[in-house]
Amino acid sequence: MKRQHVFALFVFYCSFLACALFIPVAAFGDDKVIQADDTKDTTKADDRKKVTKLDEIVVTATRTEKVLDDAPGSVAVITKTDMEKRNIQNVDDALNTTAGVYYSRGKDMLDTSPRITVGGITGYQRTLVLMDGVTMNNPYTGNVLWNLFTPQNVERIEVVKGPFSSLYGGYAMGGVVNIISKMPEKREFTVKSGYGSAWQRGEALNDLRTYYASYGDKIEKLRMFVSYDNKSTNGYVSDFNVQSTQPTAGISGWSYTTDRTGKAAYLIGDKGSNNMWADNVTAKVGYDFTDVSKIRLSYQRSRYAYSYDTPNTYLTNAAGTPVFSYGTVKEASFVTSGGGATTQDVYNIAYETEFSTVNMKLNLGVADTPNDYYVTPNSSTAKIYGGPGTNYYTPARAYNADLQFSVPLFKRHILTFGGSFRSTWVDQQQYALSNWQDDRSKTALSYEAKGKTRTYALFFQDEIAILQNLTAYIGGRQDFFESYDGYVFQQGTSGYPISYDSHRASSFSPKAAIVYKPFEGTTVRASAGNAFRPPTVYELYVTTTSSGITYAGNPNLKPETVSSWDIGAEQALWKGAKAKVRYFENFISDMIYTRTLSATSQDKVNAGSAESKGIEIEMEQKFDKWLKLFSNITCTDAKILRNAANPASEGKKMIAVPDIMFNVGADVEKGPLGLTVIGRYVSGRYNTDNNSDAATHVPGAYDAYFTADAKVRYKFLPWATASFSVNNIFNEQYYAYYLMPGRSWFADLTLNF
């Protein structure tokens, strides 16, 4: 283990022991259980007893408003204030200190498909992501376009761990991430701008620029909000050209390395700096008919685009001339990636009202991706400045409808029930390009794969107050899934086009939980349930033939399922201190896997099963309102149990699941000055199911790492705050397939009127 990793572990356990042993002394020796946000000492003793802490309300765990301490699951809440204290450039950045959540974003904001793993259940398609009730998982692959969200528009993020298909249906195998946007309580103007770059130019994101402006107002019963957000960066070199063939005699500039399995390889160049820009326009309006009856309408258009600068060869011949090819290595090896862009429109209507004691919520949403493409040069004939390539264009759309009712029954029951509907279509088209650098050089359609899905569901949940300090939850959801209109065409290849018959499947997802408060300041939770994930359009229908090999989808795939249980406790210790512990187990069945049938054929099947087990421990200590210390550690054992399609993977670690993660941090707030420092450790991971990619610190590897970030902020006027951040303070050099950013800085100014 590297020296800084040993140091990181030492810091974590020191902070843990400090919270557990020494802080009671610093907390004035008070051995009573007291709320962290106590009243001030000037408050009279009698009045102090009447003052209670404002309890944090969450909605995701039960679909109804619930005090966080009473929620029937492990819930983490990241507030707008929490995000402002850190250098958050993408909404998913806010999740990377949450216990039990593995956040993987290769090359920072340049990564178009970052991965969120909850409870060791890996894959972006196995965690449900909602924004104001609208499912954000793309119907093509299940991924989430995190770069299209605006952090400044987020009021809070609720992360609910464990299976929640009983309330939310597909994708909610590992958990649910619910992004809740803000609505104004008064007239407000916000302007924010920032600039940052690599500490040593070229080692991290160069020239990161951000701009944000918003206006919100509340005029009697009418609320309105509009915002614009823009960010861009010149990027950095994150992707390298590594070949298994040694350069021929007379060529210099290369260096020895290995591939990710440890085999000898040769570093000959890089793919150039990867740059990007993104913007977002949001408009929202709401009207409060009464205190309990309100409507909200919102629209969001987001755009994202990326590209690569000219690649660099490290090779020269005897005359000093740059070399881009030798032997079997072609010039195309330097340009394996082109550019790409995405446009997404999200429409949402939410209505809530009450009839006597019945609360009703209706949510209608559309997530439309009219433009989503990327370009790849031809793998053998492309040149650095042009040549043939392919444009992959994948428009998609998803319609969501959800209706729920909540009603109290017999004084001890609260029944929540309803139904939902989701309909999706995807149409991937591939066009040959005569010049991969010019999207206008499209020729005829060379490939198309499309399909549709729809899901109907009914759900219920009964909250039962068994005793004053004991509450039980029992519920379930029945989903009916159908895929249809599957179609594949490949120009000039026999056997195409292919049309697929419709396929139906269903899944029942039950769940039960209890919340027990045996003593003041003590909460015990336990739950068990099932969840599922229907196959995506990509898994069902995308079939291609390349170099004599057919890669086939499977329209008869069954949904993946998981059976899970967990138990946890939360304990208030002394003034301002609390601890949490949670143990969980997940058992996955019918995992969808790519199977090799022969040298010329592969397909997708429900091939195997897996399990993940783990424990999370969290500690927090607050000193009045000026200092907070926190630390958490997550240990996970996730492995493949059975895989008929590839028996060599059985007993191996699941991909993209670290064994150990921990976070440790401090937040200081004294008058107008604030400082937040956070350190994160993540152990090594695998990206192959046979765990053959064990090499470290080489391109394609997934290294263990410890990084630390800091942000200092100063409110020099009631309406103006300046901040300065440093990311990766120790300049940790590591790979998460790509070379991750080194040390960087960022400064911004926020004006609130």
Side-chain angles (χ1 to χ4, degrees), residues 265-286:
Y266 308 90
L267 176 62
I268 66 170
D270 63 62
K271 310 293 180 68
S273 293
N274 184 184
N275 49 71
M276 59 77 64
W277 69 267
D279 69 358
N280 176 288
V281 176
T282 297
K284 303 175 66 175
V285 63

mmCIF file of all heavy atoms in Angstrom, residues 265-286:
data_model
loop_
_atom_site.group_PDB
_atom_site.id
_atom_site.type_symbol
_atom_site.label_atom_id
_atom_site.label_comp_id
_atom_site.label_asym_id
_atom_site.label_seq_id
_atom_site.Cartn_x
_atom_site.Cartn_y
_atom_site.Cartn_z
ATOM 1 N N ALA A 265 3.776 -4.156 -22.578
ATOM 2 C CA ALA A 265 3.158 -3.249 -23.539
ATOM 3 C C ALA A 265 4.074 -2.039 -23.703
ATOM 4 O O ALA A 265 5.058 -1.881 -22.975
ATOM 5 C CB ALA A 265 1.775 -2.832 -23.067
ATOM 6 N N TYR A 266 3.694 -1.173 -24.661
ATOM 7 C CA TYR A 266 4.571 -0.069 -25.041
ATOM 8 C C TYR A 266 3.743 1.201 -25.186
ATOM 9 O O TYR A 266 2.759 1.239 -25.944
ATOM 10 C CB TYR A 266 5.302 -0.397 -26.341
ATOM 11 C CG TYR A 266 5.995 -1.731 -26.258
ATOM 12 C CD1 TYR A 266 5.331 -2.909 -26.641
ATOM 13 C CD2 TYR A 266 7.281 -1.834 -25.737
ATOM 14 C CE1 TYR A 266 5.948 -4.141 -26.522
ATOM 15 C CE2 TYR A 266 7.900 -3.072 -25.613
ATOM 16 C CZ TYR A 266 7.235 -4.220 -26.005
ATOM 17 O OH TYR A 266 7.844 -5.446 -25.869
ATOM 18 N N LEU A 267 4.133 2.229 -24.443
ATOM 19 C CA LEU A 267 3.458 3.513 -24.491
ATOM 20 C C LEU A 267 4.049 4.326 -25.637
ATOM 21 O O LEU A 267 5.239 4.648 -25.630
ATOM 22 C CB LEU A 267 3.642 4.253 -23.165
ATOM 23 C CG LEU A 267 3.065 5.664 -23.073
ATOM 24 C CD1 LEU A 267 1.561 5.659 -23.259
ATOM 25 C CD2 LEU A 267 3.450 6.298 -21.739
ATOM 26 N N ILE A 268 3.192 4.668 -26.631
ATOM 27 C CA ILE A 268 3.715 5.334 -27.827
ATOM 28 C C ILE A 268 3.102 6.712 -28.069
ATOM 29 O O ILE A 268 3.546 7.417 -28.971
ATOM 30 C CB ILE A 268 3.510 4.464 -29.078
ATOM 31 C CG1 ILE A 268 2.029 4.301 -29.412
ATOM 32 C CG2 ILE A 268 4.168 3.089 -28.903
ATOM 33 C CD1 ILE A 268 1.768 3.655 -30.765
ATOM 34 N N GLY A 269 2.088 7.107 -27.286
ATOM 35 C CA GLY A 269 1.487 8.414 -27.521
ATOM 36 C C GLY A 269 0.234 8.602 -26.702
ATOM 37 O O GLY A 269 -0.081 7.805 -25.816
ATOM 38 N N ASP A 270 -0.503 9.674 -26.992
ATOM 39 C CA ASP A 270 -1.779 9.923 -26.322
ATOM 40 C C ASP A 270 -2.807 10.392 -27.335
ATOM 41 O O ASP A 270 -2.473 10.724 -28.479
ATOM 42 C CB ASP A 270 -1.622 10.930 -25.179
ATOM 43 C CG ASP A 270 -1.173 12.307 -25.643
ATOM 44 O OD1 ASP A 270 -1.905 12.936 -26.416
ATOM 45 O OD2 ASP A 270 -0.072 12.748 -25.219
ATOM 46 N N LYS A 271 -4.076 10.405 -26.902
ATOM 47 C CA LYS A 271 -5.186 10.698 -27.812
ATOM 48 C C LYS A 271 -5.522 12.186 -27.886
ATOM 49 O O LYS A 271 -6.479 12.573 -28.542
ATOM 50 C CB LYS A 271 -6.429 9.924 -27.363
ATOM 51 C CG LYS A 271 -6.194 8.440 -27.105
ATOM 52 C CD LYS A 271 -5.856 7.670 -28.362
ATOM 53 C CE LYS A 271 -5.622 6.186 -28.074
ATOM 54 N NZ LYS A 271 -6.826 5.466 -27.660
ATOM 55 N N GLY A 272 -4.747 13.028 -27.180
ATOM 56 C CA GLY A 272 -5.028 14.467 -27.176
ATOM 57 C C GLY A 272 -5.922 14.861 -26.017
ATOM 58 O O GLY A 272 -6.560 14.025 -25.372
ATOM 59 N N SER A 273 -5.979 16.155 -25.740
ATOM 60 C CA SER A 273 -6.815 16.659 -24.652
ATOM 61 C C SER A 273 -8.290 16.477 -24.995
ATOM 62 O O SER A 273 -8.725 16.737 -26.114
ATOM 63 C CB SER A 273 -6.526 18.144 -24.396
ATOM 64 O OG SER A 273 -5.225 18.328 -23.897
ATOM 65 N N ASN A 274 -9.041 16.046 -23.993
ATOM 66 C CA ASN A 274 -10.485 15.844 -24.121
ATOM 67 C C ASN A 274 -11.168 17.078 -23.527
ATOM 68 O O ASN A 274 -11.015 17.365 -22.343
ATOM 69 C CB ASN A 274 -10.858 14.583 -23.351
ATOM 70 C CG ASN A 274 -12.313 14.185 -23.477
ATOM 71 O OD1 ASN A 274 -12.735 13.237 -22.836
ATOM 72 N ND2 ASN A 274 -13.104 14.883 -24.266
ATOM 73 N N ASN A 275 -11.897 17.849 -24.346
ATOM 74 C CA ASN A 275 -12.545 19.065 -23.851
ATOM 75 C C ASN A 275 -14.058 18.949 -23.941
ATOM 76 O O ASN A 275 -14.587 18.050 -24.611
ATOM 77 C CB ASN A 275 -12.044 20.290 -24.620
ATOM 78 C CG ASN A 275 -12.095 20.076 -26.120
ATOM 79 O OD1 ASN A 275 -13.169 20.044 -26.711
ATOM 80 N ND2 ASN A 275 -10.931 19.908 -26.746
ATOM 81 N N MET A 276 -14.760 19.845 -23.263
ATOM 82 C CA MET A 276 -16.220 19.771 -23.249
ATOM 83 C C MET A 276 -16.833 21.128 -22.942
ATOM 84 O O MET A 276 -16.153 22.043 -22.451
ATOM 85 C CB MET A 276 -16.704 18.768 -22.200
ATOM 86 C CG MET A 276 -16.283 19.062 -20.753
ATOM 87 S SD MET A 276 -17.189 20.383 -19.867
ATOM 88 C CE MET A 276 -18.825 19.677 -19.802
ATOM 89 N N TRP A 277 -18.137 21.243 -23.229
ATOM 90 C CA TRP A 277 -18.947 22.351 -22.744
ATOM 91 C C TRP A 277 -20.364 21.842 -22.512
ATOM 92 O O TRP A 277 -20.786 20.840 -23.105
ATOM 93 C CB TRP A 277 -18.960 23.540 -23.712
ATOM 94 C CG TRP A 277 -19.689 23.305 -25.006
ATOM 95 C CD1 TRP A 277 -19.163 22.882 -26.176
ATOM 96 C CD2 TRP A 277 -21.105 23.460 -25.240
ATOM 97 N NE1 TRP A 277 -20.138 22.761 -27.129
ATOM 98 C CE2 TRP A 277 -21.338 23.125 -26.580
ATOM 99 C CE3 TRP A 277 -22.176 23.860 -24.455
ATOM 100 C CZ2 TRP A 277 -22.616 23.154 -27.156
ATOM 101 C CZ3 TRP A 277 -23.454 23.901 -25.014
ATOM 102 C CH2 TRP A 277 -23.656 23.557 -26.356
ATOM 103 N N ALA A 278 -21.080 22.504 -21.628
ATOM 104 C CA ALA A 278 -22.463 22.121 -21.337
ATOM 105 C C ALA A 278 -23.233 23.360 -20.913
ATOM 106 O O ALA A 278 -22.668 24.304 -20.344
ATOM 107 C CB ALA A 278 -22.509 21.063 -20.235
ATOM 108 N N ASP A 279 -24.529 23.380 -21.189
ATOM 109 C CA ASP A 279 -25.375 24.441 -20.667
ATOM 110 C C ASP A 279 -26.751 23.894 -20.347
ATOM 111 O O ASP A 279 -27.119 22.778 -20.741
ATOM 112 C CB ASP A 279 -25.438 25.652 -21.604
ATOM 113 C CG ASP A 279 -26.184 25.391 -22.907
ATOM 114 O OD1 ASP A 279 -26.636 24.244 -23.126
ATOM 115 O OD2 ASP A 279 -26.306 26.332 -23.708
ATOM 116 N N ASN A 280 -27.511 24.681 -19.575
ATOM 117 C CA ASN A 280 -28.817 24.242 -19.096
ATOM 118 C C ASN A 280 -29.717 25.453 -18.939
ATOM 119 O O ASN A 280 -29.311 26.470 -18.376
ATOM 120 C CB ASN A 280 -28.663 23.517 -17.753
ATOM 121 C CG ASN A 280 -29.990 23.120 -17.135
ATOM 122 O OD1 ASN A 280 -30.736 23.957 -16.656
ATOM 123 N ND2 ASN A 280 -30.269 21.832 -17.119
ATOM 124 N N VAL A 281 -30.935 25.347 -19.446
ATOM 125 C CA VAL A 281 -31.966 26.359 -19.250
ATOM 126 C C VAL A 281 -33.121 25.700 -18.504
ATOM 127 O O VAL A 281 -33.612 24.637 -18.918
ATOM 128 C CB VAL A 281 -32.466 26.936 -20.586
ATOM 129 C CG1 VAL A 281 -33.617 27.918 -20.347
ATOM 130 C CG2 VAL A 281 -31.343 27.638 -21.326
ATOM 131 N N THR A 282 -33.531 26.309 -17.396
ATOM 132 C CA THR A 282 -34.618 25.765 -16.585
ATOM 133 C C THR A 282 -35.672 26.838 -16.368
ATOM 134 O O THR A 282 -35.345 28.001 -16.077
ATOM 135 C CB THR A 282 -34.106 25.274 -15.227
ATOM 136 O OG1 THR A 282 -33.186 24.205 -15.420
ATOM 137 C CG2 THR A 282 -35.248 24.786 -14.351
ATOM 138 N N ALA A 283 -36.935 26.455 -16.511
ATOM 139 C CA ALA A 283 -38.060 27.348 -16.240
ATOM 140 C C ALA A 283 -39.104 26.581 -15.442
ATOM 141 O O ALA A 283 -39.494 25.466 -15.824
ATOM 142 C CB ALA A 283 -38.659 27.882 -17.541
ATOM 143 N N LYS A 284 -39.546 27.180 -14.329
ATOM 144 C CA LYS A 284 -40.528 26.519 -13.471
ATOM 145 C C LYS A 284 -41.571 27.539 -13.021
ATOM 146 O O LYS A 284 -41.257 28.708 -12.795
ATOM 147 C CB LYS A 284 -39.848 25.910 -12.239
ATOM 148 C CG LYS A 284 -38.742 24.926 -12.551
ATOM 149 C CD LYS A 284 -38.036 24.454 -11.292
ATOM 150 C CE LYS A 284 -38.955 23.651 -10.407
ATOM 151 N NZ LYS A 284 -38.225 23.104 -9.243
ATOM 152 N N VAL A 285 -42.782 27.058 -12.872
ATOM 153 C CA VAL A 285 -43.846 27.899 -12.347
ATOM 154 C C VAL A 285 -44.736 27.031 -11.468
ATOM 155 O O VAL A 285 -44.957 25.841 -11.753
ATOM 156 C CB VAL A 285 -44.653 28.558 -13.483
ATOM 157 C CG1 VAL A 285 -45.345 27.508 -14.340
ATOM 158 C CG2 VAL A 285 -45.655 29.560 -12.926
ATOM 159 N N GLY A 286 -45.208 27.620 -10.377
ATOM 160 C CA GLY A 286 -46.086 26.887 -9.479
ATOM 161 C C GLY A 286 -47.177 27.782 -8.939
ATOM 162 O O GLY A 286 -47.017 29.012 -8.853
#
